[in-house]
Amino acid sequence: MARPSRAPERRAELIEVARRAVVDRGVLNLRLRDIAEGAGLSSGSVLYYFPTLADLLQEVQREAVARFCSARELAASTKSSPGERLLAMIRSGLPTGPDDELCVLLYELGTIARRDPVYAARHITLYEQQVRIYTGILEAGAATGEFALTADAVAIARNLVALEDGYGLHLTQAVPTLETATAEAMLLSYARTATTSPLEEPS
């Protein structure tokens, strides 16, 4: 009887090694040899599972996008009212700082999206999924009368995601230009204006 293939397991191991390498070294300084050494393999062995380094990094990006969006959906889904869900979404979207592994990973891989259509497409998916979650919350709040939106729900959602992205870049720099609490307060300020809601914590 033939032994079961270890290819799926080995691919998962390489994705994990590549993920750590991107966070530690940065995507622009990453070489195939770094992945091979981290996995205890030759470069040729890595290419057996992934034809190019770009193919491997695309899988790293796919996993990171799915993990980030799932975490945000979960954070919002555990709350009962639209206001609580909006607060949870805002708090789940900002990096905790330069050491926030998942956010740093997404920003690093986002640098490739400027030149590579495949990376750009997944980066767009990340943006659109977050906009979709925000839009659903905003529309629910408007339908129940909890929110009185000052603009179209999609436009507000897009602004919230864009603000998160902008503040996130500042928060993940080697020397952050602001703190997470400050960025969160500015996001909440915009959300309160856009929804005409105090967005207060439930008592």
Side-chain angles (χ1 to χ4, degrees), residues 14 67 86 105 114 176 188:
L14 288 170
R67 185 154 51 104
L86 186 55
L105 181 63
R114 185 166 171 263
L188 283 171

Side-chain angles (χ1 to χ4, degrees), residues 2 47 60 67 85 99 107 130 133 135 141 146 161 174 176:
L47 294 177
V60 173
R67 185 154 51 104
R85 291 199 293 274
D99 296 325
Y107 282 123
Q130 294 176 91
I133 300 169
T135 299
E146 186 174 349
V161 176

Side-chain angles (χ1 to χ4, degrees), residues 17-27 29-30 101 104 108:
V17 170
R19 178 192 64 76
R20 292 196 304 267
V22 169
V23 173
D24 292 342
R25 296 182 61 88
V27 72
N29 296 318
L30 191 63
E101 182 266 353
V104 168
E108 281 288 339

Side-chain angles (χ1 to χ4, degrees), residues 178-198:
L178 73 167
E179 296 179 349
T180 301
T182 303
E184 182 181 297
M186 290 188 283
L187 271 166
L188 283 171
S189 177
Y190 168 71
R192 290 183 176 114
T193 299
T195 61
T196 323
S197 169

Side-chain angles (χ1 to χ4, degrees), residues 68 72 75-76 82-95 130 133-134 137-138 147 156-157 159-161 163-164 167 171 180-195 199:
F68 186 72
R72 300 202 72 183
E84 291 175 285
R85 291 199 293 274
L86 186 55
L87 283 170
M89 268 296 286
I90 289 172
R91 287 168 180 159
S92 68
L94 290 170
Q130 294 176 91
I133 300 169
Y134 267 124
I137 294 170
L138 293 165
F147 299 158
I156 295 172
N159 282 334
L160 285 166
V161 176
L163 285 169
E164 288 174 350
Y167 288 137
L171 291 167
T180 301
T182 303
E184 182 181 297
M186 290 188 283
L187 271 166
L188 283 171
S189 177
Y190 168 71
R192 290 183 176 114
T193 299
T195 61
L199 293 178

Side-chain angles (χ1 to χ4, degrees), residues 2-11 48-49:
R3 288 187 297 178
S5 172
R6 292 191 68 245
E9 179 182 337
R10 181 63 77 180
R11 285 173 61 88
Y48 174 80
Y49 297 99

